[in-house]
Amino acid sequence: MFDTRELGRRPGALKRLSRTVDAPGSPVLGIDGVIGVPEGAPLELDLRLESVMEGVLVTGTARASAEGECVRCLEPLTVEVDADFQEMFSYPDADDRGRAADPADDAEDDEDRFFLEDGLFDLESVLRDAVVLALPMQPVCKETCAGLCSDCGIRLDENPGHHHDAVDIRWAALQGLAETVQDGEKDNMGGAEPGVDEKQEK
C-alpha cells in the first residue's frame, strides 16, 4: 500500500517515490505457465504521484527480471522487464468532475475505477496488467532459435545437420504399389525377349 496523505488534496501537488518491493504471487506476476516474475523477486518501482481534482494520478515504471522457458527449445530464460503504467485513484467522495458523487450513478462505472482508501492505494492489480503487457507472449532464448526436432526432441541449434530419413506413413501404401508395378514391368520385359527370338528363328 502507498500513502498519499502527505500529498494533500491541493491540485497540482507532486510527490516522487522510489521503492523496491517483493513481487506478489498467486497468480504469478506475468503469463501463468509461460513467463513471469517469481514470487518474492525484487520489483523496483519509480512513481510520480500528482494530486488532481478527482483524486491522485499515479504514473510509474516497474522493473524486474522475469523467468520462463523458450517456446521453441524449452530452455530456461530470463527477460528484463520495464513496464510503464498510469492510473487514476479517485477520492471515494468525488466523481470525475470533482463534485460530490451521485448515489444513483451506475455501479458498473465504479468497477473499472480505482479508489483511495483512507489516503492509501494498492498497485498490485495495476502492476499485473502492466507487466503482462510488457512481457513477450512467446518468449524465445534468441530470435534465431531453431527449436527441437519433431521426431526425437534433440536441440537443432546444437545439431544443425540433424535429420531423419523417414517415409511418411500416409504414402507408404503408394510406395509399395509403385515398387510392385516396377517389378511387373521388369518381368514383362524379361518374358518378351524369348518370344522375339523364336520369331526370328522361324
Side-chain angles (χ1 to χ4, degrees):
M1 297 290 271
F2 294 84
D3 196 341
T4 67
R5 286 173 291 193
E6 293 182 5
L7 188 65
R9 295 183 65 160
R10 181 174 57 84
L14 293 174
K15 183 179 180 180
R16 296 183 183 275
L17 293 174
S18 292
R19 189 179 299 179
T20 300
V21 300
D22 293 339
S26 298
V28 69
L29 192 65
I31 306 169
D32 193 24
V34 179
I35 189 170
V37 181
E39 182 176 1
L43 186 65
E44 298 178 8
L45 301 175
D46 291 325
L47 305 177
R48 178 178 182 270
L49 313 182
E50 181 181 359
S51 179
V52 293
M53 286 292 292
E54 60 269 25
V56 176
L57 180 64
V58 179
T59 305
T61 301
R63 298 181 182 86
S65 295
E67 298 177 359
E69 289 184 345
C70 175
V71 296
R72 296 178 187 169
C73 69
L74 306 182
E75 286 294 305
L77 56 79
T78 301
V79 175
E80 297 302 317
V81 185
D82 275 12
D84 297 323
F85 55 88
Q86 185 175 71
E87 191 60 63
M88 170 67 70
F89 289 85
S90 302
Y91 298 124
D93 59 349
D95 65 6
D96 290 336
R97 293 171 296 282
R99 298 179 302 179
D102 184 354
D105 285 347
D106 192 348
E108 292 184 0
D109 292 342
D110 291 345
E111 293 179 0
D112 297 329
R113 297 172 61 188
F114 295 91
F115 291 91
L116 294 168
E117 298 181 9
D118 297 327
L120 305 176
F121 66 88
D122 187 356
L123 271 180
E124 183 173 331
S125 58
V126 175
L127 287 174
R128 288 189 185 283
D129 292 343
V131 170
V132 167
L133 290 175
L135 286 171
M137 296 298 291
Q138 293 189 322
V140 292
C141 57
K142 58 182 180 180
E143 291 300 324
T144 58
C145 177
L148 303 176
C149 173
S150 59
D151 290 324
C152 65
I154 196 171
R155 286 194 68 196
L156 297 178
D157 278 349
E158 297 175 354
N159 300 272
H162 176 77
H163 69 280
H164 293 273
D165 293 328
V167 178
D168 191 329
I169 58 172
R170 294 171 296 181
W171 299 104
L174 290 178
Q175 184 178 10
L177 179 62
E179 291 174 354
T180 302
V181 170
Q182 289 177 356
D183 291 343
E185 289 177 349
K186 290 178 181 178
D187 292 343
N188 290 338
M189 290 176 64
E193 290 177 0
V196 172
D197 292 340
E198 290 176 1
K199 290 180 181 179
Q200 290 176 350
E201 290 175 357
K202 292 178 182 179

